[in-house]
């Protein structure tokens, strides 16, 4: 439900914790997936977390996501 936050608050109150969860668990045998409902406004920041997969919902333009 990160989409209920404005982009700057999403980065402060959600994305930084997503990054904390991802980094200790980075392993070759484990794919890290991140899905944030209604977070198309921060798709690039989500991709920059180092996750392996970014989940998309209906509000995200697939072509834009592919370019990122």
């Amino acid at each position: 439900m990160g989409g209920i936050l404005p982009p700057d608050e999403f980065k402060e109150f959600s994305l930084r914790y997503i990054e904390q969860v991802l980094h200790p668990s980075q392993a070759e045998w484990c794919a890290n997936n991140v899905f944030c409902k209604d977070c198309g406004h921060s798709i690039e920041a989500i991709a920059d977390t180092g996750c392996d997969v970014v989940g998309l919902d209906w509000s995200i333009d697939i072509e834009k996501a592919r370019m990122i």
Side-chain angles (χ1 to χ4, degrees), residues 25-47:
S25 66
Q26 294 282 339
E28 291 181 25
W29 56 269
C30 176
N32 291 303
N33 304 301
V34 175
F35 174 75
C36 297
K37 186 177 181 306
D38 297 327
C39 289
H41 57 71
S42 296
I43 191 78
E44 190 165 352
I46 294 168

Side-chain angles (χ1 to χ4, degrees), residues 2-3 5 16 24 26 31 37-38 43 48 50-51 53 58 63:
L5 298 171
R16 66 185 254 196
Q26 294 282 339
K37 186 177 181 306
D38 297 327
I43 191 78
D48 288 342
C51 63
V53 177
W58 65 273
E63 291 301 319

Side-chain angles (χ1 to χ4, degrees), residues 1-18:
M1 298 297 295
I4 63 173
L5 298 171
D8 58 329
E9 290 180 13
F10 171 75
K11 288 178 182 171
E12 181 178 350
F13 297 112
S14 185
L15 190 63
R16 66 185 254 196
Y17 298 105
I18 290 170

